Amino acid sequence: MPAFELTDERLDNGLRLILSEDHAAPVVAVNLWYNVGSRHEPEGRTGFAHLFEHLMFEGSRHVKRGEHFAAVEAAGGTLNASTWCDRTNYYESAPSNHLELLLWLEADRMGGLLDGISQETLDNQRDVVKNERRQRMDNAPYGTWGERMHWAVFPKGHPYHHPTIGSMGDLDAASLDDVSAFFRRYYAPNNAVLTIVGDLDPDEARGWVERYFGGIPRNDDIPPPPDGTLPAAIGAEVRETVPDNVQLEKLFIGYRAPAYGTSEFDALTMALLVAGQGRGSRMHRTLVIERQLAKDVDFSPWPFVGGAAVATASATARQGVPAADLEAAMHDVLGGLADGVTEEEMARARGLMERYELGQLQAVADRADAFSECATLFDDPNLVNTRLDALLAIDADAVAQAAARVLTADNRAVLTFVPQEGR
Amino acid sequence: MTLVDQRPDSAPPRPWRFPSFERTRLDSGLQLLVCHQPGRPLAAARLVLDGGAITEPAGRAGVALLAARALPEGTESLDAFELAEAMEGMGAEIRGEVSYDSMQVRMDVPVTRLGPALALFGDVVRRPGFRPGEVERLRKERLDQLAQEQAVPGALAARAFEGAVFVADSPYARSIGGQVETVEGLDTAAIESFYRSRIDASAATLVVVGDVAGVDIAGIAADAFGQWPVDNVGQSTPVVDARDEPTRVVLVDRAGSVQSTLTIGHAGPPRRTPDYVPIDMLAMCLGGVFGSRLNLKLREEKGYTYGAFAGFDFRRHGGTFSAQTAVQTEVTADAVADAVAEIARTAESGIPEEELASTREYSVGVFPIAYERPDAVAHGLADLVVHGLADDWHDSVRSEMAAVSSEQVTKAAADHLHPDRMAIVVVGDAAAVRPGLEAAGLGSVEVREAGV
């Protein structure tokens, strides 16, 4: 993979600016990561960071309600945002002649959001977010598994104990005062990374960034993230059986994992690829093809930086297969990784990792997000150019060691979803 | 604090054209579309085959999907696991999928291994294993999937909508992939028979997109896909008649639902309708962008939903118009009434120029973003093949969009929106939402159990 060239600098107010040219298409991507997520939420305000993200689209000092979305769409652009435990990102892609407009819009809400917020917009977006929760979780089969996994893997009071979407009660409690306080505390230029990738002139882009963002004051009192330190292992297996509106039983197994950014997390990620990615994975081969206990299998690493991350694996039981049989087989497969993985398995995992990473970096929007991520979480945007090689260099021994340390019985949570009675 | 109050103006856009590609035909009859996209290291390959759901024999609904899923599950010489290990070791992922109009086998692979991956791709399609044990496993997995869909609101809504819009003997009246009764009757012989009658070089197109300079794709394809027996029996035109009934409510009971999942609409025109561009623009204004009528009303004004959408599904012989959203159970009847009112208002008075302008700009401007990635370009090229469109279609349709008028879009709304002939499908808690829906006077209300 050829390295992507980039520049990495800071404005006087602390805003970190990353520029990377790519003139393959007349498209430019603007991406902003704010170093705030659901782990920063105070007690009783779960879901607030994400609700706040919604308000960022509802108007600011010089941008009327509805104008932000309308302006970007009328420019031929696409836009969205997302919130997770460690961060909140805002991003748009547009034909490159509209870069200055995108920067003006982002600066106006970074510096002047509070002038655009009212009780009406807060109430409206609170309803929208509650419907987002209903659609994705409460009304979806197995939809609450992620929330339950947060509860099981992290102890009460830990910053990752609650999911980003939050609870209905806490969303109801959010007030305009909360919005002001959160904005003043976290939405400052020195708490953000601005990345611009695509068909741009660096000097021109720098000039616009200075013009639109340069006057926004820094905040020297941003509190550090809450302490996420906790024991490496859960300590004892956590089990929950969840009756749900489902037809097929399904198992979700989660492990407390080393934090994202460590070599152990990377080795564990390769272990999960060996175990669960693709039809050639151990879980697919054993559970789906050979023993026909599962209809499908899946896995996901949750890349958290604050103390610990999560590794999950899941399998949907075939009709008539007892969940206990499937669970025993999953434990055999996942636990067996500690006994070693073959060079063939490593080659397959490396091939899939390369395919995934290349696919992640093709569009300028995806590349911009990767630069922002690496700058925000690891203070090194150039990791985008080196992280694939680092992952491909992980050997079979490191994978087995990571599996031996993490994929253990006393470090797992097992969620079993079963059909509700009477359904 | 200093913020700049003046919203900046934008310079004119740099020109853009859809990525150029070459169309050739191999001696075997296989058509080849190759697009060199510089700087794109993950190649996308698609084999477009004449095996869509509309070509399934009577009583064998689901055979196309099962065949598409069986193809990447083994060749004559490699079983399911061995094939997966070989493909994935190259970083390749391969899967088969089915629409009403085509079967497509898709592969993504780093361009550094495109040659050997294409060779194996050829084996997958030309010399499939179709081992009875694998087919039986896939059939059971499909039956499990159909069972699980009984719990999925969107799947229940889609099934009920298709059945409510089209006459029973139309393939459009059933979801792709068949139903329990037809899938239970499928076996290896059914798949082999479907494969032999539909899958051959004379009606196949290989699309390859990525940074492929220096890769002899035509030579590799000639080896991998050459000498293909030609047995394709051709296509007959399917029945696509709509039921054409007055607007009515089909309420699918999903007890305990905290949201109602809505699909509202009727039959629509085929892809090659001459007014495709005005219709598409109409759909964008009604439910295709964030600032669309439905999303602004149901989300940004009322807070009833996380999002509301509308669009036309253009197929070769016909299609559908539908609006879709999921709303909090308590507001179901009000949300349905609002959605119906927006559709009716649009049908009656169309879209004024001031509202169309921004959507037109979006539709034209978004092309270079939409086609940045090889898989998106491959999808666009496959569409040309499936619908018999000209090589310059993407550029010409973009020019047409730039010139579309409010009068054209307003006429499209009058011609293609039929608020008095709609199926209003509601998947939700019937006990909670039925009284409101009946009181709203939207039309007759028929209640069904999920799974019936």
Side-chain angles (χ1 to χ4, degrees):
Chain A
M1 184 178 86
F4 300 109
E5 292 191 12
L6 65 108
T7 59
D8 179 14
E9 60 207 283
R10 279 187 195 274
L11 273 60
D12 290 343
N13 61 12
L15 177 64
R16 189 167 192 168
L17 173 64
I18 294 161
L19 302 174
S20 181
E21 290 181 71
D22 179 344
H23 302 284
V27 174
V28 70
V30 170
N31 181 292
L32 262 164
W33 272 48
Y34 289 91
N35 193 0
V36 60
S38 56
R39 72 168 160 155
H40 300 80
E41 289 161 348
E43 173 101 32
R45 289 295 179 274
T46 64
F48 189 79
H50 169 245
L51 174 59
F52 185 93
E53 172 224 297
H54 275 243
L55 296 174
M56 285 280 277
F57 291 90
E58 296 295 315
S60 51
R61 183 171 307 163
H62 303 106
V63 179
K64 295 190 297 289
R65 183 162 186 226
E67 186 182 347
H68 190 105
F69 258 106
V72 177
E73 288 192 333
T78 60
L79 68 164
N80 213 331
S82 75
T83 308
W84 209 6
C85 297
D86 292 329
R87 88 297 186 279
T88 311
N89 65 355
Y90 299 83
Y91 48 92
E92 43 275 334
S93 294
S96 48
N97 56 309
H98 293 294
L99 174 57
E100 190 180 2
L101 170 68
L102 302 183
L103 295 172
W104 178 77
L105 287 165
E106 286 293 1
D108 204 65
R109 61 183 178 181
M110 180 189 283
L113 178 80
L114 296 181
D115 297 338
I117 295 306
S118 66
Q119 188 66 44
E120 184 191 350
T121 56
L122 172 60
D123 290 343
N124 169 253
Q125 290 303 307
R126 188 198 330 266
D127 285 343
V128 170
V129 167
K130 288 165 78 172
N131 274 306
E132 180 177 355
R133 186 190 153 101
R134 291 182 186 106
Q135 184 173 327
R136 290 184 167 177
M137 296 170 64
D138 300 328
N139 206 46
Y142 318 112
T144 59
W145 82 268
E147 175 173 57
R148 294 171 193 281
M149 197 61 82
H150 275 278
W151 294 340
V153 171
F154 298 102
K156 196 162 171 43
H158 189 275
Y160 296 142
H161 178 70
H162 69 278
T164 301
I165 193 73
S167 73
M168 291 295 198
D170 285 358
L171 288 168
D172 280 334
S175 70
L176 279 179
D177 286 345
D178 294 322
V179 174
S180 315
F182 196 80
F183 177 75
R184 294 203 168 96
R185 188 170 300 141
Y186 294 113
Y187 277 70
N190 52 316
N191 202 37
V193 173
L194 169 63
T195 302
I196 312 172
V197 177
D199 181 33
L200 60 92
D201 175 318
D203 290 336
E204 190 177 50
R206 241 179 231 115
W208 286 330
V209 170
E210 186 61 50
R211 172 171 159 78
Y212 295 115
F213 291 87
I216 303 172
R218 64 186 296 126
N219 174 11
D220 288 317
D221 297 314
I222 298 170
D227 182 8
T229 308
L230 77 176
I234 296 172
E237 183 180 71
V238 180
R239 302 189 65 83
E240 185 183 12
T241 299
V242 186
D244 195 8
N245 187 350
V246 298
Q247 299 280 331
L248 306 180
E249 298 191 350
K250 186 165 184 174
L251 279 155
F252 296 88
I253 303 179
Y255 302 87
R256 189 181 293 171
Y260 182 36
T262 62
S263 56
E264 294 86 357
F265 180 88
D266 287 349
L268 185 66
T269 298
M270 295 304 284
L272 289 177
L273 290 178
V274 169
Q277 171 73 48
R279 286 190 289 265
S281 67
R282 280 196 191 184
M283 286 207 298
H284 190 89
R285 180 182 191 175
T286 306
L287 306 179
V288 177
I289 298 179
E290 291 177 356
R291 298 187 60 191
Q292 303 194 16
L293 300 170
K295 164 184 161 296
D296 54 61
V297 299
D298 203 358
F299 77 98
S300 65
W302 295 4
F304 300 156
V305 295
V310 182
T312 75
S314 64
T316 309
R318 289 271 300 270
Q319 291 185 87
V321 171
D325 291 1
L326 177 57
E327 186 187 339
M330 285 180 79
H331 292 326
D332 283 348
V333 171
L334 293 164
L337 291 167
D339 299 333
V341 299
T342 66
E343 279 310 314
E344 290 75 22
E345 288 179 309
M346 288 304 298
R348 198 193 63 87
R350 289 185 186 119
L352 291 176
M353 177 54 79
E354 182 184 359
R355 187 200 67 82
Y356 173 79
E357 186 71 5
L358 293 181
Q360 282 293 95
L361 297 176
Q362 296 202 108
V364 291
D366 295 335
R367 212 178 305 149
D369 197 62
F371 286 134
S372 289
E373 175 191 15
C374 290
T376 303
L377 301 181
F378 308 122
D379 193 24
D380 183 7
N382 196 52
L383 279 177
V384 172
N385 286 319
T386 59
R387 66 184 183 183
L388 176 60
D389 285 344
L391 283 159
L392 299 184
I394 293 168
D395 64 19
D397 286 346
V399 168
Q401 283 164 22
R405 190 158 90 86
V406 176
L407 307 181
T408 59
D410 65 349
N411 185 37
R412 71 186 176 214
V414 181
L415 310 177
T416 307
F417 279 72
V418 300
Q420 285 165 343
E421 294 293 317
R423 287 276 160 75
Chain B
M1 166 190 325
T2 320
L3 286 174
V4 177
D5 59 358
Q6 193 62 40
R7 175 170 155 174
D9 293 325
S10 297
R14 258 182 59 199
W16 177 89
R17 294 183 68 82
F18 187 79
S20 60
F21 61 96
E22 286 195 4
R23 189 192 281 257
T24 55
R25 195 174 280 281
L26 303 181
D27 293 343
S28 63
L30 177 76
Q31 188 175 223
L32 192 57
L33 269 60
V34 178
C35 173
H36 171 54
Q37 216 181 0
R40 299 290 182 261
L42 187 64
R46 282 180 185 235
L47 191 68
V48 183
L49 299 161
D50 182 19
I54 58 168
T55 66
E56 290 172 334
R60 295 230 170 131
V63 70
L65 182 64
L66 203 56
R69 289 184 176 177
L71 282 173
E73 293 278 353
T75 65
E76 287 172 1
S77 55
L78 301 174
D79 71 18
F81 174 74
E82 291 164 340
L83 175 61
E85 196 175 42
M87 274 287 178
E88 292 167 358
M90 292 188 281
E93 292 209 324
I94 185 168
R95 63 195 169 100
E97 55 191 42
V98 168
S99 68
Y100 287 105
D101 293 320
S102 72
M103 178 188 295
Q104 299 193 16
V105 186
R106 300 171 55 177
M107 181 176 74
D108 292 326
V109 63
V111 290
T112 50
R113 292 186 285 275
L114 177 58
L118 273 180
L120 189 51
F121 190 178
D123 248 15
V124 164
V125 178
R126 294 287 323 285
R127 285 172 282 280
F130 292 150
R131 291 169 176 74
E134 301 294 357
V135 170
E136 179 58 8
R137 170 174 65 81
L138 294 168
R139 191 184 69 93
K140 286 180 175 164
E141 288 171 14
R142 176 65 190 143
L143 288 169
D144 287 350
Q145 185 183 18
L146 284 166
Q148 181 54 27
E149 282 179 4
Q150 298 302 323
V152 179
L156 289 170
R159 257 170 211 280
F161 179 72
E162 286 145 7
V165 168
F166 293 101
V167 297
D169 58 343
S170 170
Y172 290 173
R174 51 181 191 255
S175 288
I176 290 165
Q179 47 272 39
V180 171
E181 311 84 72
T182 60
V183 174
E184 277 179 339
L186 299 176
D187 56 17
T188 305
I191 284 176
E192 284 182 335
S193 158
F194 182 79
Y195 174 85
R196 273 198 312 276
S197 66
R198 303 244 52 97
I199 307 306
D200 75 61
S202 69
T205 300
L206 178 65
V207 177
V208 182
V209 184
D211 193 336
V212 296
V215 184
D216 176 19
I217 292 169
I220 295 165
D223 289 344
F225 296 93
Q227 274 135 51
W228 209 341
V230 178
D231 296 336
N232 191 297
V233 296
Q235 267 195 31
S236 52
T237 303
V239 175
V240 297
D241 297 331
R243 288 182 180 275
D244 199 28
E245 292 167 8
T247 293
R248 69 281 184 200
V249 177
V250 177
L251 172 54
V252 181
D253 186 23
R254 185 173 178 274
S257 292
V258 295
Q259 279 190 328
S260 297
T261 302
L262 312 180
T263 300
I264 303 170
H266 47 66
R271 173 65 181 261
R272 296 189 65 170
T273 185
D275 49 357
Y276 172 85
V277 165
I279 297 171
D280 192 50
M281 207 61 67
L282 158 69
M284 296 297 285
C285 293
L286 183 57
V289 291
F290 186 89
S292 70
R293 289 182 168 188
L294 285 168
N295 196 57
L296 289 186
K297 171 64 75 175
L298 294 174
R299 172 181 154 131
E300 292 295 288
E301 183 184 327
K302 299 292 183 78
Y304 288 163
T305 179
Y306 181 45
F309 310 89
F312 286 80
D313 180 7
F314 296 98
R315 304 168 193 160
R316 199 181 290 162
H317 302 284
T320 59
F321 160 75
S322 67
Q324 296 171 18
T325 187
V327 301
Q328 187 179 352
T329 295
E330 291 77 0
V331 302
T332 299
D334 290 341
V336 170
D338 280 343
V340 168
E342 287 299 323
I343 295 168
R345 171 169 82 96
T346 306
E348 278 160 27
S349 49
I351 306 286
E353 169 58 27
E354 57 270 26
E355 193 177 340
L356 173 62
S358 62
T359 305
R360 183 198 291 126
E361 291 300 316
Y362 171 78
S363 300
V364 172
V366 82
F367 269 73
I369 299 168
Y371 294 109
E372 261 193 284
R373 302 170 60 101
D375 53 351
V377 175
H379 182 265
L381 293 177
D383 262 6
L384 301 184
V385 175
V386 170
H387 296 290
L389 305 170
D391 283 1
D392 68 348
W393 184 84
H394 291 93
D395 288 328
S396 65
V397 85
R398 190 170 182 234
S399 301
E400 269 187 69
M401 286 176 175
V404 75
S405 69
S406 166
E407 288 72 27
Q408 288 173 292
V409 177
T410 296
K411 181 172 189 312
D415 291 348
H416 296 287
L417 294 179
H418 307 297
D420 57 338
R421 319 296 287 172
M422 295 197 298
I424 299 172
V425 173
V426 180
V427 178
D429 189 322
V433 303
R434 180 179 188 167
L437 287 169
E438 285 178 337
L442 299 156
S444 63
V445 179
E446 176 199 347
V447 183
R448 296 184 193 166
E449 293 301 310
V452 177

